[in-house]
Amino acid sequence: NEYYKIWSNHHINLDGWSANAVLVEFEHIYESKVKGENLELNSLKLYSDYISWLNNFDKNKAAYYWKSYLNHYDKKASLKGEARKFSGEKYAHKDYKFNLTEQTFLKLQQIAAANKTTLNTIIQSAWGILLSKYNNTNDVVFGSLVSGRPSTLEGVQDIIGIFINTVPHRIRYESTQSFDELLHQTQHSFIE
């Protein structure tokens, strides 16, 4: 826990996988120094290997995918537009935290299991519906944070670095579509 406090106070940007690996390595170094022991660390793959992999990635194929994915989308989804107009107050950013009851959490797990999906898919779908209601549309795009360690890069699990990205996530539905159908559609989009 003390290692985590040291780590988090220095604002070092790594993904969760890498941060944990660095903390474990730091703990081994610290313990070996306290005990006066010599320690040999395993050599790791370099982050530059990932950069090389990225440079060899088919950018045209990726551009075609995203262009098709975002085809005919020309709006900007927002939560603050209309709300600010009818109140005399200026918009102020606030964080809201809440806890789900155990009963609600279990019900969400049941929905996820019944639809062979994840809680994340349920939350992303619900967020899309909320944004769509605020923007009076059934087609919204928002940023979704994803982890991106490519399984095709040998030794990627041993590389320390940032393997996260924000990608556009589109929720588009018909008024006659059920929430279960939207979940399947959202899950398919994630897989793609």
Side-chain angles (χ1 to χ4, degrees):
N1 195 20
E2 288 301 312
Y3 303 122
Y4 179 77
K5 287 178 187 175
I6 293 168
W7 182 265
S8 61
N9 288 335
H10 287 86
H11 305 291
I12 298 170
N13 293 318
L14 295 173
D15 64 9
W17 186 300
S18 296
N20 187 57
V22 169
L23 288 173
V24 167
E25 190 169 292
F26 177 75
E27 185 176 7
H28 289 311
I29 293 169
Y30 179 79
E31 287 176 359
S32 70
K33 294 292 182 191
V34 167
K35 294 176 183 176
E37 299 173 349
N38 288 331
L39 175 68
E40 279 191 41
L41 297 173
N42 296 332
S43 61
L44 298 175
K45 301 267 296 171
L46 299 175
Y47 191 72
S48 59
D49 292 346
Y50 172 64
I51 300 301
S52 295
W53 178 87
L54 279 177
N55 287 334
N56 291 322
F57 194 74
D58 187 347
K59 292 170 188 66
N60 291 330
K61 184 177 178 183
Y64 176 79
Y65 172 81
W66 290 113
K67 186 175 181 179
S68 296
Y69 184 76
L70 297 171
N71 192 26
H72 299 299
Y73 187 81
D74 59 0
K75 301 165 194 71
K76 178 182 174 188
S78 173
L79 284 177
K80 57 185 178 179
E82 291 299 318
R84 194 170 55 191
K85 288 181 185 174
F86 63 79
S87 84
E89 301 172 24
K90 290 187 175 186
Y91 174 78
H93 171 79
K94 290 185 180 181
D95 290 331
Y96 293 95
K97 294 181 182 179
F98 62 91
N99 295 317
L100 296 176
T101 65
E102 184 177 354
Q103 182 181 9
T104 300
F105 179 73
L106 291 173
K107 182 65 177 167
L108 289 172
Q109 283 187 315
Q110 289 173 351
I111 293 168
N115 287 284
K116 296 181 179 145
T117 190
T118 64
L119 292 174
N120 182 55
T121 301
I122 293 172
I123 299 301
Q124 296 280 359
S125 299
W127 179 247
I129 291 170
L130 178 68
L131 280 176
S132 75
K133 299 301 180 190
Y134 268 85
N135 291 275
N136 198 29
T137 182
N138 63 347
D139 186 9
V140 294
V141 173
F142 55 90
S144 184
L145 191 63
V146 296
S147 176
R149 287 182 182 263
S151 60
T152 56
L153 177 59
E154 185 179 333
V156 72
Q157 71 278 1
D158 296 325
I159 298 176
I160 303 295
I162 298 178
F163 288 89
I164 55 175
N165 201 353
T166 302
V167 296
H169 189 74
R170 190 172 191 174
I171 299 289
R172 182 174 28 183
Y173 61 93
E174 299 297 325
S175 59
T176 57
Q177 193 172 3
S178 72
F179 188 68
D180 288 354
E181 290 170 330
L182 179 60
L183 287 178
H184 292 284
Q185 180 180 310
T186 302
Q187 182 71 20
H188 179 73
S189 176
F190 280 147
I191 293 168
E192 279 188 349

